[in-house]
Amino acid sequence: LVFGGLLLWLGLRFLDLALEVWWQPFYPWDVWTTWAVRARVWAELQELVPFVSGEVWLAHPEDPFYTIDAWTYPPAVSLIASWPSLAMGGWHETASKLPWLGAGLALGLGRYGQARLWGASPLWSLITLWLALSLPILQTQIALAGYADIWVALALALGLMAFLQWARNGDWRQGLLALLALMTCALMKREGLVWASLFIPALIVARLRGWWLLAAIGVMVGIVGWIGYRGGLSFEVPALGPVLLGFDRIAIPGLPSFTYQYHDVWEPVLRHTLIYSNWHLFPYLLVLALVAGAISVFRNGLSGWQGAGMVWALASLSAVYLLFFWTEAHLWAVQATSFNRILLQFAPALTFWMMMVWLDLTAKVRRGSV
C-alpha cells in the first residue's frame, strides 16, 4: 500500500510537471540569452550555424554567423532543446521543453534501478527516490524548463551512482557508465569539467589500500606544495584552452576568472538552505549522513566505496564552499541568483550517497557491529 501510494504520488506530480512544461513559455534569464537562442536559430534555419564572439560577428557581416554573450558555452543543452523542434519540422517551443521532463524521469528511473542493484528493498528504493524528486528546487528546474543545471545534476548523479557501484564490486559496465556520465558533464556546462575532476581523489581512495593509499596522498600533497612553490600551475586542455590554477586565482576558459578572497556569506547561505523551502529536509539529512559517514570511515579506514563516497561528498561541498565563500561568486549567494542552482547540480548525487550511508549503517546495526 505504501509503495503504491508513493508511486501514485510521483505519477501525479510528474503529470502536474508535464502540464507546467506544456503550458509555460521558456522562462528568463539564461534561457532567453543562451540556451534557447541557439536552439531556435538552429531549428529555424535547419542548420548548425556557428555562434562566435561579437567582434568576429561584426567583422564578418557577410557570413552566416550569430553571436551571444555566452557563445563559448558548450552546445549540448541547446542541441537537446533543438532536436524535438527539428522533429516537428521547425521551431516548436513546447516540444523543445519536453526533454526537461525526460531528465526528471531519467533521474528517477536511474536512481531506482541503481538502488535496487545496491540491494535496497523496492519500498526503501522508492522512499529515497521520492525524497530526492520532491526537492522543490529540482521540481522548479523541470517546470521552468530550459536551464542547464538539471542536466549537470543528472550526469553527476548517474556518474556517482555508477562509480560507487564499480568501487564496491568492480563491475566494468558500471565503471564505463560512470566514465561516460562524467564526460557528459563537460558537454553540458563549463564547470562540469571541474565537477568531474572531483572524482579523482575518490578514485584514488576507491582503488588503493594501505601504504599505496598513503603514498598517493603524499604525492598529492607534494603536488599541491609544488604548485604553491611555483605560484600556480598553467596547462592546456584540448578543446578547452589554457587553464590556470593558483592559490590566489583560478582561470578556466569560458568561465569568469576568480580571485581568492574570503567573503562572509553565511547568512544568505544558511537562509537559503535551512530556512527557505528550496531544499526541504535535504541539508539536515546531509549533516547526519556526513556524521555517520565519518564514523564509518573512522572505524573501517579510508578505503573502498565508503571512503570514496565520503571523499567525493566532502570534495563536492568543499568546491561549493570555495566558490561562494572565496571568489567573486559570493555575489551569486547574496543576490540569490545562482547559489541554489549550483548546489542543485550536486544534490541528486548526494542524496544517493546518503541512502547508501544509511543502508550501510542499518546493516551494521543488524549485525551488531555498531
Side-chain angles (χ1 to χ4, degrees):
L1 288 176
V2 175
F3 187 93
L6 286 176
L7 195 60
L8 179 62
W9 188 332
L10 287 171
L12 290 174
R13 183 54 179 147
F14 266 98
L15 176 61
D16 180 34
L17 290 173
L19 293 175
E20 289 287 337
V21 170
W22 190 263
W23 288 331
Q24 288 273 9
F26 272 127
Y27 196 79
W29 296 104
D30 292 3
V31 183
W32 284 9
T33 61
T34 306
W35 310 115
V37 175
R38 296 187 299 189
R40 180 160 190 171
V41 168
W42 292 336
E44 295 277 14
L45 299 180
Q46 302 281 299
E47 182 182 356
L48 290 175
V49 295
F51 279 77
V52 298
S53 66
E55 293 79 8
V56 174
W57 177 71
L58 286 171
H60 299 82
E62 72 285 354
D63 291 325
F65 291 162
Y66 285 76
T67 186
I68 53 177
D69 286 341
W71 64 275
T72 60
Y73 279 23
V77 175
S78 296
L79 287 171
I80 290 171
S82 65
W83 287 334
S85 282
L86 292 174
M88 301 290 290
W91 175 248
H92 193 287
E93 184 166 319
T94 299
S96 295
K97 292 183 286 147
L98 291 178
W100 272 257
L101 183 66
L105 291 171
L107 178 62
L109 294 172
R111 181 192 171 88
Y112 182 84
Q114 290 285 29
R116 294 290 290 124
L117 281 175
W118 194 267
S121 68
L123 178 58
W124 182 244
S125 299
L126 191 62
I127 289 174
T128 57
L129 168 63
W130 172 77
L131 288 171
L133 292 182
S134 66
L135 289 175
I137 190 69
L138 175 62
Q139 295 189 1
T140 301
Q141 283 277 309
I142 298 174
L144 302 180
Y147 288 85
D149 306 283
I150 191 172
W151 295 103
V152 179
L154 174 61
L156 273 179
L158 293 177
L160 180 73
M161 291 186 289
F163 172 79
L164 292 179
Q165 294 274 19
W166 169 79
R168 186 177 69 151
N169 56 31
D171 188 342
W172 68 269
R173 296 168 299 178
Q174 295 281 3
L176 179 61
L177 176 59
L179 179 61
L180 293 175
L182 296 180
M183 291 172 60
T184 303
C185 284
L187 299 177
M188 297 303 176
K189 294 190 78 174
R190 288 292 187 182
E191 63 263 31
L193 179 63
V194 181
W195 302 158
S197 68
L198 299 176
F199 281 79
I200 295 176
L203 174 64
I204 293 174
V205 171
R207 305 313 294 175
L208 298 180
R209 301 286 191 277
W211 289 106
W212 286 106
L213 178 58
L214 292 176
I217 294 175
V219 170
M220 293 180 65
V221 171
I223 292 174
V224 172
W226 178 75
I227 294 174
Y229 174 76
R230 291 281 305 272
L233 177 66
S234 60
F235 53 91
E236 190 87 10
V237 177
L240 184 63
V243 175
L244 172 64
L245 301 177
F247 285 105
D248 60 340
R249 189 167 70 93
I250 180 172
I252 300 176
L255 292 177
S257 177
F258 294 119
T259 301
Y260 297 143
Q261 181 180 355
Y262 179 73
H263 302 276
D264 186 3
V265 292
W266 282 109
E267 189 276 331
V269 166
L270 293 177
R271 176 160 35 90
H272 282 285
T273 53
L274 301 180
I275 299 177
Y276 289 169
S277 59
N278 297 317
W279 295 103
H280 263 330
L281 300 176
F282 170 72
Y284 304 97
L285 296 177
L286 178 59
V287 172
L288 294 177
L290 289 170
V291 173
I295 294 174
S296 176
V297 169
F298 178 78
R299 292 172 64 92
N300 303 312
L302 188 65
S303 61
W305 73 263
Q306 294 96 335
M310 187 69 184
V311 166
W312 183 85
L314 291 176
S316 300
L317 295 175
S318 298
V320 174
Y321 170 76
L322 180 65
L323 178 64
F324 288 105
F325 283 83
W326 285 88
T327 73
E328 290 88 342
H330 74 281
L331 293 174
W332 300 349
V334 175
Q335 299 168 355
T337 53
S338 295
F339 172 75
N340 290 300
R341 292 197 289 128
I342 293 294
L343 186 58
L344 172 65
Q345 297 177 9
F346 296 98
L350 285 169
T351 58
F352 186 82
W353 170 75
M354 291 157 59
M355 181 202 72
M356 293 189 299
V357 169
W358 174 257
L359 289 175
D360 184 57
L361 179 62
T362 55
K364 289 177 179 177
V365 169
R366 287 194 298 268
R367 293 195 305 265
S369 56
V370 175

